[in-house]
Amino acid sequence: VTLFHEIAQELADFVLLTQYAALSIVMACVLNFLSGLSVCLGGVVFLATNPTDQATGIILAMAGGVYFNVACCETVPRIENIVKGRVDRILTLFSVIVGTVPIGLILLNHQHC
């Protein structure tokens, strides 16, 4: 399930880099790869410190807050500029639901907090 979420995230990043940031396909792939490496490095450093369950929960909550902030401050205003009618709003809501269900499925068996 996590893999599906990551695939969707990387595709969204790629579209944003190529369509809105006007980067070439090669440059978008390189930046996406470097971004993925930085996440791996952060995971290795975090796990190397042998964190407690409370520390893990706090860091996960902070990371979730960052995603929520980006969604509210960056994504929603862009969607509002594009959405014109009721059908567009329904498709947008459906897309948000499809994007959040895999994340929710991961949390069903979450053991950290």
Side-chain angles (χ1 to χ4, degrees):
V1 175
T2 303
L3 181 62
F4 295 131
H5 164 70
E6 289 303 318
I7 290 171
Q9 179 68 39
E10 296 308 318
L11 285 174
D13 290 345
F14 179 78
V15 169
L16 286 173
L17 290 172
T18 55
Q19 299 298 316
Y20 294 102
L23 295 177
S24 69
I25 292 174
V26 172
M27 184 57 95
C29 288
V30 167
L31 290 176
N32 228 354
F33 180 74
L34 291 174
S35 172
L37 282 180
S38 71
V39 170
C40 291
L41 177 64
V44 168
V45 168
F46 179 73
L47 292 174
T49 62
N50 197 18
T52 65
D53 285 345
Q54 183 179 12
T56 301
I58 290 170
I59 290 175
L60 288 173
M62 291 172 62
V66 168
Y67 274 106
F68 187 71
N69 181 46
V70 169
C72 291
C73 297
E74 296 293 331
T75 307
V76 172
R78 290 181 185 186
I79 291 172
E80 286 295 319
N81 289 336
I82 296 170
V83 172
K84 299 297 180 203
R86 177 172 276 163
V87 174
D88 287 342
R89 290 195 186 282
I90 291 170
L91 286 174
T92 300
L93 178 61
F94 178 74
S95 298
V96 169
I97 291 169
V98 167
T100 55
V101 165
I103 298 169
L105 291 174
I106 293 168
L107 297 176
L108 287 177
N109 195 21
H110 196 271
Q111 300 296 323
H112 292 291
C113 313

